[in-house]
Amino acid sequence: MELKGQIEEFIYQNESNSYSIAVLSTEEGEVVTVVGYLPFIAVGDTLKLQGKMVVHQEYGEQFKIETFEKMMPETAAALEKYLASGTIKGIGPATARKIIDKFGEETLTVFKFEPLRLAEIKGITKDRAYEIGEEFNEKWGVWQIVSFLEGFGIGANNSKRVYDALGIDAVEKIQENPYILIDIVYGVNFNNIDKIAMQIGIPMDSDYRVKSGIKYALLVASYNGHTCVQKENLIEYVKSILDVTDNIIQDNIINLNVSSEIHIIEKDDVEFVFLEQLYKAEKNIADRLSALRDCNNAKYMKNFEKEIKKSEKNLDIELSEKQFDAIMQVNENNVCIITGGPGTGKTTIIKCVIEIYKSHNKKVVLCAPTGRAAKRMSETTGEEAKTIHRLLEIGKFEEDKLGSIDSEVTPVDADILVIDEMSMVDVFLMNYLVKAIFLGTKIIFVGDPNQLPSVGPGSILKDLIDSKMFSTVHLDKIFRQAAKSKIIVNAHNVNNGINFIGNKNYSEDSENDFFYINEANQDKMLYQVLSLSKERLKNYGDYEFFTNIQVLTPTKKGKLGTKELNKSLQQELNPKVEEILEKTYGDTTFREGDRVMQIKNNYDIYWERGSRDNLKTYESGTGVFNGEIGRIAKIDYTEKQIQIEFDDKKTAWYAFSELDQLEHAYAITIHKAQGSEFDVVILVIPQSSNMLLTRNLLYTGLTRAKKMLIVIGNKNLIEFMINNCDTKKRNTGLELKLIED
């Protein structure tokens, strides 16, 4: 859909990225609210917009901008409105009227080519006329940057960042060195830039090209979890993508190191190369944690053993020796780490810490990396837990990770800060977190280093433990109640390299909560998944798929990957019937009642929780984040939107044009499930890439189940996963930096 008109006013505009809500007056005389990225646009500008009409639950009908083009005002009236808006310094409505009256349809020509003629207007001197012409043409020149950048695949949302970095001469600077864009815009396509650079005559061995290729290689490594790369491997990779000699690459590595765009450190007689931002993030983490560890222990309590025993009595529990020691370490140290698998008592320790410090009027703050992990933390402790993002109010700048290492965050007001699921925290999130913590705050890192590592770069929890610079308590005893669970026993067995198939080493009063189905044929495995999901589990308890059952798989691909499993499960559990509405988007059909997952962070989407009739429980806000799961409550063809009710009871509305943010979640990958728990898990293990079939992935999958776990897979494949403990080691520098601090 296309709209053309003039901007009448801005309701909202984000200064950093130009995300805007504005009022557009169309050529047909309609007034339309438009939303999207509008860099370098002012009131009075004439735009041609491409996009779609959407309905916002709170603000009503809006035009969502996909692309736009700034037009020269085509009529004297439009030009007068543009000039009267005040966009040109010194020209207001009265002067704009005089200019249009004087020059009429020639006005644009005067501004562009004969600005001194503006002195014919009473009140405008020749000097001012020259300045007005210069300002008019500069503003128009700035706009040309947006059009120019589209050729490089860089959208309007990033064009202001480019202009802020390069200034009015941006186009000339980019033509001289297109690779400069890679440093400014995170995630820009290197191959696209390289192709254009070759077309405009940049030599293959240009320093611009080679330096950019080196930094691009380091960026690619970060996508695979590394914060640094062995220099030898870096040279080989750069040589393969640029087709230049070793000597040229070596020379440019030296030059980049001298200019501090990269850093080189030696570890175990091997040179490792870091991007400056990743090196700096790790250095910030190391410096800040060392400072927090070494500052005055302001929250230290005397006679702390008595406090722990009092807490045991109040909570009606009996702590193990290691649990007691872990809580003592919290008192003795500003920074401590508590690790252990399921059933080893981590939550009990957190409860005791909360009980002790709250009884002394200390503020205890709980957080976790994801919404589902925070929700689970709240449920197990009975206290509010926030996501780290929400706690720090870091918002949208987190998307531009490499460029935002130095961004400001909201300080954390806490005496005691507990961070759960630390294995999921990457170097960027950790950098934000340590910046927000005041000296004197006690920090407790809780996690299981044997689970999958973070999606982003870094190996934070492992590096903290391996550095031996912080008090660490590893809980390895399974408590008697937990030991009754075959799920927990088998998870620990897998973690220790012991196969659960044929294992009879359970206590006499073990719960019947773990089942294994030995099957290699994928059609038969699919049948097992579908029949268990639909009805068979009802014989074992109050289990119903949409209430408390989740299917997990290691992979997205194949018959038993998430894509095909979701189609099969939808057909079985929520088939098409006449009275149920559905909406097809791409190759996905969304149906009322479907289970869906948000697959990207959306900071702007509006949500509500509770009824507006009860202001005590009602709340509203913005933001739905990657990994949140819900169900489609309603599809509204009149308003062209889908209503989703998420597991945390908030309700959000998605325009049909926004359905690329959702995918079915009848089956999800084990990676997506990390940090979450489900009453019943059906874990299907098909043959897939050996890179996926690892012990820690199987262990993570097993530990997602609370009440019942069914594992479906070939026994040889299961055995391979249990023995495949050589998970891909991440190259990081945090451990060394902590030791050196």
Side-chain angles (χ1 to χ4, degrees):
M1 181 179 175
E2 182 178 291
L3 281 183
K4 190 174 176 184
Q6 271 190 303
I7 296 293
E8 295 286 340
E9 67 170 311
F10 282 95
I11 299 169
Y12 166 80
Q13 189 165 44
N14 184 312
E15 289 184 12
S16 62
N17 63 11
S18 299
Y19 181 83
S20 306
I21 303 172
V23 176
L24 183 87
S25 176
T26 70
E27 291 181 324
E28 292 77 26
E30 291 183 74
V31 176
V32 180
T33 301
V34 298
V35 294
Y37 296 98
L38 293 173
F40 317 122
I41 298 302
V43 171
D45 280 345
T46 301
L47 306 180
K48 185 193 289 183
L49 307 172
Q50 298 287 339
K52 296 178 180 178
M53 294 302 302
V54 300
V55 178
H56 191 286
Q57 189 66 20
E58 186 176 26
Y59 302 117
E61 193 171 55
Q62 301 174 334
F63 184 86
K64 187 175 182 182
I65 303 164
E66 293 172 358
T67 62
F68 74 99
E69 180 182 351
K70 183 173 175 179
M71 314 287 292
M72 280 288 190
E74 294 177 352
T75 66
L79 184 55
E80 182 183 345
K81 190 183 289 187
Y82 171 74
L83 295 173
S85 68
T87 191
I88 304 295
K89 187 179 177 182
I91 299 180
T95 306
R97 176 75 263 166
K98 290 176 185 177
I99 292 171
I100 297 300
D101 286 344
K102 175 73 176 175
F103 301 112
E105 301 295 335
E106 287 187 277
T107 303
L108 272 180
T109 304
V110 170
F111 269 93
K112 292 177 74 175
F113 305 113
E114 304 174 276
L116 291 179
R117 287 187 62 192
L118 292 170
E120 297 173 24
I121 304 296
K122 189 177 179 181
I124 299 179
T125 65
K126 284 192 176 182
D127 286 345
R128 184 67 195 117
Y130 178 79
E131 289 171 1
I132 288 170
E134 205 170 47
E135 185 180 350
F136 180 90
N137 286 302
E138 181 181 318
K139 286 183 182 296
W140 208 264
V142 165
W143 163 247
Q144 303 312 308
I145 294 170
V146 180
S147 302
F148 176 73
L149 289 174
E150 284 183 357
F152 292 86
I154 296 173
N157 56 316
N158 282 310
S159 57
K160 188 173 187 300
R161 183 176 293 132
V162 174
Y163 176 73
D164 289 343
L166 302 180
I168 190 67
D169 300 325
V171 172
E172 290 78 8
K173 290 176 181 175
I174 294 166
Q175 286 172 330
E176 179 188 352
N177 173 21
Y179 299 101
I180 200 170
L181 291 169
I182 293 166
D183 294 334
I184 299 169
V185 183
Y186 179 72
V188 71
N189 188 311
F190 175 84
N191 294 325
N192 189 23
I193 302 290
D194 195 39
K195 184 179 177 182
I196 293 170
M198 295 292 97
Q199 289 171 353
I200 64 176
I202 301 291
M204 283 188 68
D205 61 355
S206 160
D207 286 349
Y208 291 143
R209 181 171 187 258
V210 180
K211 286 179 180 177
S212 184
I214 292 165
K215 289 191 281 187
Y216 171 71
L218 293 169
L219 193 61
V220 169
S222 78
Y223 299 153
N224 293 316
H226 306 290
T227 62
C228 57
V229 177
Q230 285 190 34
K231 184 179 174 183
E232 186 181 304
N233 295 341
L234 175 65
I235 291 169
E236 285 303 310
Y237 181 75
V238 173
K239 192 162 62 172
S240 73
I241 62 171
L242 297 185
D243 194 23
V244 293
T245 65
D246 285 23
N247 288 339
I248 290 173
I249 299 169
Q250 287 269 24
D251 288 345
N252 279 281
I253 287 175
I254 292 168
N255 291 335
L256 285 169
N257 190 43
V258 168
S259 63
S260 295
E261 293 175 74
I262 63 171
H263 287 267
I264 302 174
I265 66 169
E266 192 171 297
K267 186 168 66 169
D268 301 327
D269 298 322
V270 177
E271 285 188 306
F272 286 86
V273 185
F274 294 77
L275 275 173
E276 191 265 343
Q277 297 96 325
L278 288 166
Y279 178 87
K280 189 174 179 182
E282 285 192 340
K283 190 75 171 71
N284 288 347
I285 294 165
D287 291 349
R288 189 66 181 164
L289 283 179
S290 298
L292 287 160
R293 177 197 62 208
D294 297 337
C295 75
N296 179 44
N297 189 350
K299 308 300 185 301
Y300 178 82
M301 290 187 196
K302 294 179 180 178
N303 302 317
F304 199 68
E305 294 93 335
K306 289 183 180 178
E307 297 293 339
I308 298 175
K309 287 173 182 175
K310 192 190 302 180
S311 175
E312 281 184 291
K313 185 177 180 181
N314 292 341
L315 295 172
D316 192 22
I317 56 170
E318 185 177 341
L319 296 168
S320 71
E321 188 177 332
K322 274 202 172 182
Q323 284 179 312
F324 198 95
D325 179 49
I327 301 169
M328 284 294 294
Q329 293 304 314
V330 172
N331 187 48
E332 297 289 339
N333 299 277
N334 287 330
V335 181
C336 64
I337 303 165
I338 299 169
T339 74
T344 56
K346 299 191 297 292
T347 300
T348 300
I349 291 171
I350 296 172
K351 284 181 176 179
C352 279
V353 167
I354 293 168
E355 209 274 336
I356 291 168
Y357 285 98
K358 284 187 73 173
S359 70
H360 286 266
N361 297 316
K362 301 297 182 186
K363 185 174 181 180
V364 182
V365 173
L366 310 180
C367 65
T370 67
R372 294 185 69 85
K375 181 187 175 191
R376 179 174 147 207
M377 197 180 188
S378 295
E379 290 169 348
T380 55
T381 63
E383 298 286 332
E384 182 190 16
K386 296 180 178 180
T387 64
I388 298 174
H389 287 78
R390 186 177 162 208
L391 180 67
L392 306 183
E393 299 178 11
I394 59 180
K396 293 184 183 179
F397 72 67
E398 186 268 341
E399 300 294 344
D400 177 35
K401 291 174 175 173
L402 287 184
S404 59
I405 294 300
D406 297 318
S407 297
E408 292 302 312
V409 294
T410 301
V412 175
D413 177 20
D415 295 304
I416 317 293
L417 178 64
V418 185
I419 305 108
D420 199 7
E421 295 289 354
M422 270 298 299
S423 63
M424 299 178 72
V425 176
D426 67 20
V427 68
F428 301 115
L429 198 53
M430 190 66 177
N431 176 61
Y432 302 141
L433 185 61
V434 297
K435 286 171 64 176
I437 302 170
F438 289 111
L439 292 178
T441 299
K442 284 187 177 292
I443 313 156
I444 308 169
F445 297 120
V446 183
D448 185 347
N450 296 306
Q451 288 191 28
L452 293 168
S454 58
V455 175
S459 187
I460 301 297
L461 181 59
K462 184 177 183 301
D463 285 351
L464 293 181
I465 295 168
D466 291 349
S467 74
K468 298 182 171 59
M469 301 307 292
F470 305 99
S471 172
T472 301
V473 178
H474 177 66
L475 305 169
D476 51 12
K477 175 189 173 184
I478 306 175
F479 281 85
R480 191 174 67 83
Q481 190 61 36
K484 293 179 183 179
S485 168
K486 292 180 182 177
I487 297 171
I488 290 175
V489 170
N490 284 325
H492 282 271
N493 283 339
V494 165
N495 196 38
N496 293 321
I498 301 168
N499 200 328
F500 56 77
I501 299 172
N503 177 35
K504 304 294 182 185
N505 189 25
Y506 302 120
S507 63
E508 291 182 5
D509 56 349
S510 287
E511 297 171 10
N512 211 22
D513 61 356
F514 184 99
F515 299 91
Y516 169 62
I517 300 172
N518 180 19
E519 187 56 74
N521 180 284
Q522 293 211 356
D523 289 323
K524 291 181 179 178
M525 291 171 75
L526 177 60
Y527 167 77
Q528 294 284 359
V529 172
L530 297 179
S531 62
L532 285 164
S533 298
K534 190 171 183 181
E535 53 196 21
R536 277 166 59 193
L537 287 176
K538 290 179 181 175
N539 299 326
Y540 292 88
D542 186 21
Y543 300 136
E544 191 275 329
F545 187 87
F546 290 105
T547 305
N548 47 23
I549 299 173
Q550 181 64 57
V551 177
L552 302 183
T553 176
T555 182
K556 296 178 181 179
K557 300 176 182 177
K559 181 176 286 189
L560 296 172
T562 53
K563 195 170 181 66
E564 293 303 317
L565 267 177
N566 274 313
K567 288 179 182 176
S568 300
L569 285 162
Q570 183 196 41
Q571 180 58 35
E572 197 71 23
L573 300 168
N574 191 27
K576 179 175 173 55
V577 293
E578 192 174 331
E579 62 270 20
I580 294 180
L581 294 177
E582 60 182 36
K583 169 64 181 174
T584 299
Y585 185 91
D587 61 354
T588 303
T589 298
F590 293 101
R591 198 169 286 152
E592 289 177 341
D594 277 345
R595 180 184 285 171
V596 292
M597 175 186 279
Q598 176 83 12
I599 59 170
K600 60 175 77 169
N601 289 341
N602 183 334
Y603 296 89
D604 300 309
I605 195 164
Y606 175 78
W607 56 260
E608 294 180 343
R609 185 185 287 117
S611 170
R612 294 191 184 202
D613 296 332
N614 186 349
L615 295 180
K616 287 185 179 179
T617 59
Y618 172 80
E619 59 178 322
S620 64
T622 58
V624 178
F625 301 101
N626 189 357
E628 294 197 51
I629 293 175
R631 289 188 73 185
I632 296 177
K634 183 181 179 183
I635 295 177
D636 188 334
Y637 270 91
T638 303
E639 302 291 353
K640 296 182 180 178
Q641 62 182 1
I642 287 182
Q643 180 183 357
I644 311 290
E645 183 175 313
F646 288 92
D647 287 353
D648 61 359
K649 303 304 178 186
K650 68 171 175 277
T651 298
W653 293 261
Y654 290 73
F656 286 171
S657 59
E658 297 175 313
L659 296 182
D660 61 329
Q661 299 177 33
L662 299 170
E663 65 181 26
H664 284 127
Y666 294 91
I668 62 175
T669 62
I670 296 169
H671 279 88
K672 283 286 190 184
Q674 191 170 3
S676 302
E677 275 189 343
F678 310 94
D679 285 350
V680 180
V681 168
I682 301 169
L683 178 59
V684 56
I685 309 288
Q687 181 65 57
S688 52
S689 165
N690 286 357
M691 194 170 72
L692 288 174
L693 300 176
T694 61
R695 179 188 292 179
N696 66 348
L697 185 121
L698 179 60
Y699 173 72
T700 302
L702 298 179
T703 53
R704 299 310 94 204
K706 287 196 289 186
K707 295 181 179 178
M708 182 175 289
L709 173 66
I710 303 100
V711 181
I712 306 168
N714 176 254
K715 63 180 182 180
N716 295 328
L717 198 59
I718 301 289
E719 187 172 358
F720 173 83
M721 291 183 79
I722 292 170
N723 293 326
N724 184 17
C725 58
D726 298 325
T727 51
K728 192 174 180 183
K729 185 180 183 302
R730 292 188 168 190
N731 293 322
T732 65
L734 179 59
E735 179 188 346
L736 182 63
K737 292 181 179 77
L738 286 165
I739 293 168
E740 289 177 344
D741 266 11

